[in-house]
């Protein structure tokens, strides 16, 4: 009896390992269907890191068979934080050469960490498609910061630290600008005083000469 239980446990473990090793790359993707068209949507490379080349991936099937002749126009629109862009879908396979048949990609570099929305529109084999999927716990993974996977660790300042540094630098610049303005005003004041002094001095010289001339005339 023990031998039978042991054999069953071993068989179960081997089956689990086999399932993990043979899992489809679309395992973490969102599975959707419109009529006979099946779609697995997500990032082409997972986990997805900000600043690293990636793609919006959609694996297409028609009645369970890979769509290898897309033919009809199908657009991929990528959205993040109120911004959006349309990226052309390209086949990432060649029958008998490489890739998984039905695998299409819209290549781009996600610049920020967070949730992205992939919007498919157009048609596949005559079936109209208008579908949006946003990354999350029930769909596909969000983009994360690359510092989480870096080794050795990189001492990257947090958003709060950056904000504090910006405020400090701004305060220094403001103070420096104030000091510069004060120095300029002082220089302008000194220049004005010097001009006034020259004018007053000139007037004094003129008055002295006039007095001297007048005195000589009076003496005569």
């Amino acid at each position: 009896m023990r031998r039978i239980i042991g054999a069953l446990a071993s068989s179960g473990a081997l089956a689990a390992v086999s399932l993990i090793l043979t899992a489809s790359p679309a395992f973490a993707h969102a599975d959707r269907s419109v009529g006979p068209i099946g779609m697995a949507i997500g990032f082409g490379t997972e986990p997805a890191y900000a600043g690293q080349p990636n793609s919006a991936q959609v694996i297409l099937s028609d009645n369970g068979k890979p769509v290898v002749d897309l033919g009809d126009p199908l657009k991929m629109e990528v959205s993040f934080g109120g911004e959006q862009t349309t990226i052309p879908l390209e086949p990432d396979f060649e029958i008998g050469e490489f890739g998984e048949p039905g695998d299409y990609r819209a290549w781009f570099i996600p610049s920020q960490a967070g949730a992205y929305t992939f919007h498919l529109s157009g048609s596949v084999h005559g079936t109209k498609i208008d579908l949006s999927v946003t990354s999350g716990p029930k769909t596909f993974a969000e983009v994360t910061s690359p510092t989480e996977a870096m080794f050795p660790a990189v001492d990257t300042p947090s958003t709060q630290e950056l904000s504090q540094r910006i405020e400090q630098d701004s305060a220094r610049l403001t103070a420096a600008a104030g000091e510069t303005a004060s120095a300029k005003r002082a220089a302008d004041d000194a220049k004005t005083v010097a001009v006034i002094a020259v004018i007053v001095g000139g007037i004094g010289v003129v008055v002295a000469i006039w007095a001297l001339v007048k005195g000589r005339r009076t003496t005569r």
Side-chain angles (χ1 to χ4, degrees):
M1 186 67 178
R2 290 181 180 178
R3 291 181 179 178
I4 294 174
I5 294 174
L8 290 174
S10 299
S11 298
L14 289 173
V17 171
S18 176
L19 179 62
I20 293 172
L21 293 177
T22 58
S24 167
F27 178 77
H29 288 30
D31 292 321
R32 299 288 187 271
S33 61
V34 177
I37 305 302
M39 294 162 282
I41 305 170
F43 278 104
T45 301
E46 295 179 337
Y49 293 113
Q52 300 299 313
N54 212 314
S55 62
Q57 179 187 42
V58 54
I59 300 176
L60 295 171
S61 62
D62 186 352
N63 285 314
K65 296 181 179 180
V67 175
V68 296
D69 54 342
L70 187 56
D72 298 330
L74 187 63
K75 296 180 180 179
M76 172 66 77
E77 185 180 80
V78 179
S79 303
F80 177 87
E83 296 186 37
Q84 59 188 31
T85 183
T86 299
I87 308 171
L89 275 170
E90 302 175 3
D92 193 42
F93 64 91
E94 187 173 333
I95 302 298
E97 296 294 332
F98 67 89
E100 176 184 354
D103 182 357
Y104 295 86
R105 309 289 184 100
W107 302 96
F108 76 108
I109 299 176
S111 59
Q112 298 185 48
Y116 284 72
T117 298
F118 296 159
H119 178 211
L120 275 173
S121 61
S123 62
V124 178
H125 291 177
T127 299
K128 291 184 178 180
I129 306 295
D130 188 1
L131 177 69
S132 291
V133 182
T134 301
S135 57
K138 296 182 179 181
T139 53
F140 56 95
E142 296 185 355
V143 175
T144 58
S145 171
T147 56
E148 298 178 10
M150 288 183 176
F151 180 83
V154 178
D155 185 14
T156 303
S158 64
T159 303
Q160 183 177 359
E161 291 173 337
L162 287 174
S163 178
Q164 291 174 348
R165 291 183 185 179
I166 291 172
E167 289 179 0
Q168 292 171 356
D169 290 342
S170 178
R172 291 195 191 98
L173 289 173
T174 302
E179 292 175 358
T180 301
S182 298
K184 186 177 184 300
R185 285 195 298 270
D188 291 342
D189 291 343
K191 185 184 295 184
T192 301
V193 170
V195 170
I196 293 172
V198 170
I199 294 172
V200 171
I203 293 172
V205 170
V206 171
V207 171
I209 293 173
W210 178 80
L212 179 61
V213 172
K214 186 179 180 181
R216 289 182 178 179
R217 288 178 181 177
T218 303
T219 303
R220 291 177 183 177

